[in-house]
Amino acid sequence: MAKFNVGDRVSVSPKHWLRANQVGVVMEFDGDKDKPWRVEFEQAFEGGGTNGRSLWLDEADLEILDSD
């Protein structure tokens, strides 16, 4: 069972190399991936992630803030 759900607001771990402490929304889950949650952020970050706006992350990278 997935720890997070699509629509959950999450915070990225302070130890993450690219998006430390950033807040985003879980947009997609793909259980076949090592990092199964695609999190989209309000602000783009050039050179990192999908279109600079989202990253695939795992449980160790995320903390739930609130859920839908």
Side-chain angles (χ1 to χ4, degrees), residues 4-8 10 24-28 37-40 62:
F4 305 101
N5 297 300
V6 171
D8 286 352
V10 293
V25 176
V26 176
M27 301 303 289
E28 185 177 352
W37 289 277
R38 185 175 65 85
V39 177
E40 188 170 293
L62 298 170

Side-chain angles (χ1 to χ4, degrees), residues 11-28:
S11 175
V12 179
S13 163
K15 295 180 181 181
H16 192 269
W17 68 277
L18 182 64
R19 288 280 190 165
N21 298 313
Q22 295 289 304
V23 174
V25 176
V26 176
M27 301 303 289
E28 185 177 352

Side-chain angles (χ1 to χ4, degrees), residues 13 18 24 37 41 47-48 51 58 62 66-67:
S13 163
L18 182 64
W37 289 277
F41 303 93
N51 296 325
D58 64 17
L62 298 170
D66 44 67
S67 54

